[in-house]
Amino acid sequence: LVHGADPEEARLVENFGRLCDLAARYKLNANLEPMPWVDVSTVAKAKRILRAAGRKNAAHLPDPIHFYRADNRLEELKDLPHRYLQFCDARKERPGELQELIRQARGDRLFPGEGGLDLRGLLGALPADLAMSLEIPHAGGLAPQERARRALEATKKLLATL
């Protein structure tokens, strides 16, 4: 997982390419995750970086909270390499304050199906066989095993509706 926090795009492309080359030595991928508060904030920006770097082990990493908070469009996901998806849900309303946007992303996400994001639309726009990880930092104060159980249960319930 990589994010792009460099305002100088040419330098970002060069450094990302070098990271991809280093990762390739160990048979690893570099998955670029756009986040609304960093320089690579949208799918369109990630696509530019991936294409400019031109590495086979480079991919886009979609995450629903970042995807919808940055006002991306589902059709932008076409023609992008994806290795896996981070999965969660969140409140539908985009926070107006940057610090609240970051707080929700880092520590107050919702279990799949419990929020207002168009998770079905996002899943429909991605390859059906895409690997999925659950990234659901939850502010509810649940014990780790209970949080994992609820995350898995909610995800299975949502996937069963597809």
Side-chain angles (χ1 to χ4, degrees):
L1 183 152
V2 180
H3 72 85
D6 187 339
E8 175 58 47
E9 191 167 302
R11 182 176 57 212
L12 178 61
V13 168
E14 181 181 335
N15 286 332
F16 180 67
R18 289 173 53 208
L19 177 66
C20 290
D21 293 343
L22 178 62
R25 289 190 219 161
Y26 300 96
K27 298 182 178 158
L28 296 173
N29 297 309
N31 301 287
L32 185 58
E33 180 182 22
M35 293 182 272
W37 62 88
V38 298
D39 296 292
V40 179
S41 56
T42 65
V43 172
K45 289 178 182 179
K47 188 181 281 191
R48 277 201 321 267
I49 301 302
L50 292 170
R51 289 196 172 145
R55 301 309 199 277
K56 290 182 180 183
N57 65 328
H60 169 253
L61 174 57
D63 182 319
I65 193 168
H66 302 318
F67 182 84
Y68 288 110
R69 295 292 195 256
D71 295 322
N72 293 292
R73 295 181 327 273
L74 295 171
E75 53 272 6
E76 292 177 289
L77 296 169
K78 293 178 186 172
D79 304 321
L80 272 174
H82 302 97
R83 302 282 193 278
Y84 75 103
L85 158 73
Q86 290 183 330
F87 206 55
C88 68
D89 209 339
R91 293 163 193 81
K92 185 174 184 169
E93 305 77 27
R94 184 184 195 275
E97 304 268 330
L98 177 63
Q99 290 308 315
E100 178 59 13
L101 181 103
I102 294 170
R103 186 196 72 75
Q104 285 183 19
R106 290 183 177 163
D108 194 10
R109 298 183 187 204
L110 301 174
F111 297 117
E114 295 182 0
L117 303 182
D118 180 13
L119 299 179
R120 288 172 186 82
L122 183 63
L123 289 171
L126 293 167
D129 62 347
L130 189 63
M132 178 187 296
S133 72
L134 301 179
E135 183 181 37
I136 312 170
H138 195 272
L142 299 172
Q145 285 184 324
E146 176 63 12
R147 187 171 66 190
R149 186 193 66 71
R150 286 193 50 201
L152 181 60
E153 182 179 287
T155 303
K156 284 181 174 182
K157 182 177 176 182
L158 178 81
L159 293 175
T161 68
L162 298 178

